[in-house]
Amino acid sequence: MKSVLGFLELHPCDLIVLATQQDKGQVLWLENSVAKPVARESHQMTLFIPAGVEGFVSLKDGSVSLKNILIPVAPVPKAQPAIQAAVRIAQRLDCSTGQFTLLYVGDDSEMPEVSCPELPGWEWTKLSQKGDITQVILQTARGMEADLIVMSTEGRQGFLDALRGSTSEQVLRQCACPLLAIPTNSWVSSVL
């Protein structure tokens, strides 16, 4: 981990891409993961590809299949950096059509205001649902066959997060698609 972080200090990057094992049920303080600590300590936008997940770039020919992007929104952390990152990825990968889905876990009337940039060929949908935040995100991702989940993250906040992980870490443990984490304390969230 120290070697990777040292390299990143000398060679700044826009995006870190990491393969990661899904550690369902593992006690967090005993885990030997390199991926999550690198993402946490580097404060960089990080794309996690869970083991066994093909992702949205074909290993055979490099073609991109990115049609359904799920973006969970909450009052804290602000979702706008995640929204901007999702749009930039769709643009930069030349994805001509698709669906951005904003998901708020809670009462529809309390959904935070966000700006949804227009992207030709792409549509925006807003959903709200009550329930356990992690489970609702995972169920929605499965139901819509999400190709990517994009989340703003503040990292671990407080004692409970230290034990069970941040919401994005909890989602990453069980998701069936890549997850792009946008740290709110990074330079990238201030320019997006």
Side-chain angles (χ1 to χ4, degrees):
M1 183 182 85
K2 288 180 183 178
S3 296
V4 173
L5 291 172
F7 180 86
L8 289 170
E9 275 188 40
L10 296 174
H11 308 281
C13 66
D14 295 326
L15 175 68
I16 300 171
V17 179
L18 297 169
T20 185
Q21 288 292 113
Q22 291 179 310
D23 50 2
K24 298 172 186 151
Q26 194 173 20
V27 179
L28 290 178
W29 61 80
L30 297 177
E31 74 179 54
N32 291 325
S33 171
V34 171
K36 286 180 273 184
V38 164
R40 234 185 342 264
E41 297 297 321
S42 69
H43 306 290
Q44 295 287 331
M45 183 167 58
T46 305
L47 178 63
F48 293 97
I49 312 291
V53 170
E54 288 189 28
F56 49 84
V57 178
S58 169
L59 294 176
K60 292 178 184 171
D61 61 12
S63 62
V64 175
S65 177
L66 185 60
K67 300 265 186 216
N68 294 310
I69 300 177
L70 177 63
I71 309 165
V73 299
V76 176
K78 299 277 186 215
Q80 201 62 49
I83 291 167
Q84 296 300 118
V87 170
R88 274 182 66 196
I89 283 179
Q91 285 175 319
R92 297 263 167 96
L93 294 177
D94 291 326
C95 300
S96 57
T97 61
Q99 180 79 38
F100 295 112
T101 302
L102 300 175
L103 172 65
Y104 177 66
V105 181
D107 190 88
D108 188 39
S109 64
E110 298 172 357
M111 184 177 215
E113 288 290 322
V114 293
S115 174
C116 300
E118 284 195 38
L119 183 60
W122 282 75
E123 295 180 16
W124 289 93
T125 300
K126 292 183 180 181
L127 299 174
S128 62
Q129 200 170 356
K130 294 181 181 177
D132 175 76
I133 294 170
T134 302
Q135 292 309 310
V136 169
I137 293 170
L138 292 167
Q139 289 167 359
T140 303
R142 278 191 293 273
M144 65 180 273
E145 298 180 1
D147 299 310
L148 176 65
I149 300 171
V150 182
M151 297 180 72
S152 294
T153 181
E154 287 185 317
R156 295 180 181 175
Q157 301 292 314
F159 179 71
L160 284 178
D161 278 1
L163 291 176
R164 62 180 187 219
S166 68
T167 301
S168 55
E169 287 176 328
Q170 292 175 52
V171 170
L172 179 60
R173 254 184 244 126
Q174 300 177 57
C175 66
C177 66
L179 184 144
L180 179 63
I182 313 295
T184 58
N185 61 351
S186 71
W187 69 270
V188 102
S189 67
S190 63
V191 297
L192 291 176

